[in-house]
Amino acid sequence: MAVPPPSPTDDKPVPTPQGPRGGVMVLCATALLILATSLAGGHDTSSDNSGPPQSHPAPQAPRTPQAAPPVSPRAIPSASPSVLPVGKHLPRSRPVRLLIPKIWVDAPFTALEIGPTGQLEPPPAADTNLVGWYTGGASPGETGTSVIAGHVDTVVSAAVFAGLGELKKDDTFRVVRADRRTATFVVDSVEQFDKDHFPSRRVYDDTPRAQVRLITCAGDYDRTVKDYTANLVVFAHLV
C-alpha cells in the first residue's frame, strides 16, 4: 500500500539551474531504493549482508531511467524514531537545498513517497539538478535517519549525483532547511552495495543520532532488467 508523506507547510522551492560540474566522470542510472510496501516503524527484518566497498565502476553511457520491481523486503524509519536522541539534533523542518561544494551540487528538494509497487519513487528525471527527500522519514538534522535520493544520469546528460562517489570520509555538506537553519553533515563513509545483498537495516534503521543517507545507483548496467546492479550510499552525521 502507498504511504503518503506529511503535507508540507512551506512553499515548495523553485528549481534553479545547476552550476559547473568539475571532474564528473561516472554516469549511472536513476537511483532506485527498493522498499517494503508495509513500513514497520523503522525496523526491518531482512538480513544485513554488508560487505567491503566495491571498486568504482568504469564510465557508462547515459541510460533511460526506469523503475524495477521490488526484489526483497526493505524498510526505512518513520518520522518519529523509537530511540532517545543522542548528540546534536534539530527540530523537524522541510529541507530546501542540498549543498555539496566538493562535487558542485547546489540543488533544490522535492518530496518522495512510496509508490504502488512498494519502492521509493525517484525524483522526476526531467530535472537533472533535483534531489528527493523521503518525507515519511526524519528530516535532515532531526533525530533519526534522513533519506535523500538523486539521479546520477538521465537519457539526456549527467545528473545531480554523478559525482557522489568522489566524496570521502570527513568531507562535509549542508542542507538548508525551511526554518532557515543550515544543517551541516560530516561524511562517515561512502560505500557501494550490490542490490541483491543490500544491508537494509544498516542503511535505513532508526538511529539515536541525526544522520543522513545520500543514495544513488552504481555498478554495472544490466540490459536484461534495464537497471544498474548496485547502490552507492553516503553515510553522514550532523555536526
Side-chain angles (χ1 to χ4, degrees):
M1 61 182 175
V3 180
S7 300
T9 57
D10 303 288
D11 294 335
K12 184 177 181 180
V14 178
T16 58
Q18 188 175 1
R21 302 185 58 81
V24 173
M25 295 296 294
V26 180
L27 307 180
C28 301
T30 303
L32 297 176
L33 311 182
I34 309 302
L35 308 174
T37 56
S38 176
L39 299 181
H43 296 287
D44 176 20
T45 57
S46 61
S47 61
D48 187 338
N49 297 311
S50 58
Q54 299 178 15
S55 59
H56 209 283
Q60 302 282 348
R63 306 287 182 176
T64 303
Q66 298 196 27
V71 295
S72 64
R74 307 282 167 87
I76 58 181
S78 67
S80 300
S82 58
V83 292
L84 295 177
V86 172
K88 185 176 181 179
H89 62 278
L90 298 173
R92 186 172 181 82
S93 180
R94 178 177 57 84
V96 176
R97 296 197 77 83
L98 175 65
L99 307 173
I100 314 178
K102 181 176 179 178
I103 57 173
W104 302 95
V105 169
D106 181 351
F109 279 86
T110 188
L112 300 182
E113 344 177 11
I114 303 297
T117 61
Q119 67 187 42
L120 186 64
E121 297 179 337
D127 190 342
T128 59
N129 187 48
L130 187 67
V131 292
W133 163 57
Y134 174 58
T135 58
S139 63
E142 186 180 14
T143 300
T145 301
S146 180
V147 177
I148 298 173
H151 297 291
V152 287
D153 77 345
T154 70
V155 69
V156 176
S157 68
V160 63
F161 276 174
L164 197 65
E166 297 177 27
L167 295 182
K168 306 295 182 184
K169 178 178 171 59
D170 297 328
D171 284 342
T172 61
F173 63 89
R174 293 171 289 151
V175 176
V176 179
R177 303 169 8 129
D179 62 3
R180 299 188 178 182
R181 298 185 184 186
T182 298
T184 300
F185 296 88
V186 170
V187 173
D188 298 312
S189 65
V190 180
E191 304 179 47
Q192 183 172 308
F193 305 106
D194 186 274
K195 288 185 178 181
D196 290 336
H197 302 91
F198 192 86
S200 303
R201 296 194 63 174
R202 182 181 170 202
V203 175
Y204 298 131
D205 214 354
D206 281 338
T207 169
R209 304 178 73 189
Q211 299 191 4
V212 161
R213 309 289 187 251
L214 306 179
I215 309 181
T216 193
C217 272
D220 296 322
Y221 186 74
D222 187 333
R223 296 181 181 276
T224 302
V225 298
K226 297 181 179 180
D227 188 17
Y228 278 77
T229 58
N231 282 116
L232 187 70
V233 182
V234 174
F235 296 81
H237 69 276
L238 182 70
V239 293

